[in-house]
Amino acid sequence: FLYALGGIDYAVHTLQVASEYGIITRAGSWFSYKGEKLGQGASKAAVAMLENGLLDEVRDATLLAAGIQCQYK
């Protein structure tokens, strides 16, 4: 998601890339992680990831799925 002021929504972008790698599953407009529904629509699902503290976990799982080793921890 690009915004008019020139920014990218990091949480929504992470959600979209994670769904491309199968970390986040999508059924219609609903997004789920590990069988739990996050929300309907990318924006609401991204907010749920943030509110539930899942953003780092989803990001790390996506990086691993892409073959990128996480070295920052």
Side-chain angles (χ1 to χ4, degrees), residues 3-73:
Y3 290 98
L5 297 176
I8 296 175
D9 187 317
Y10 179 74
V12 173
H13 181 69
T14 301
L15 178 83
Q16 290 174 333
V17 175
S19 74
E20 290 175 17
Y21 280 95
I23 305 302
I24 297 286
T25 55
R26 188 173 179 182
S29 61
W30 283 92
F31 291 86
S32 300
Y33 178 62
K34 293 185 176 179
E36 296 290 323
K37 285 187 178 179
L38 293 172
Q40 187 174 17
S43 295
K44 288 184 182 178
V47 168
M49 270 195 330
L50 289 166
E51 289 176 348
N52 294 311
L54 297 172
L55 184 61
D56 291 344
E57 183 178 332
V58 170
R59 179 203 58 219
D60 292 349
T62 303
L63 289 171
L64 272 172
I68 300 169
Q69 188 71 17
C70 302
Q71 297 292 329
Y72 56 86
K73 290 186 177 185

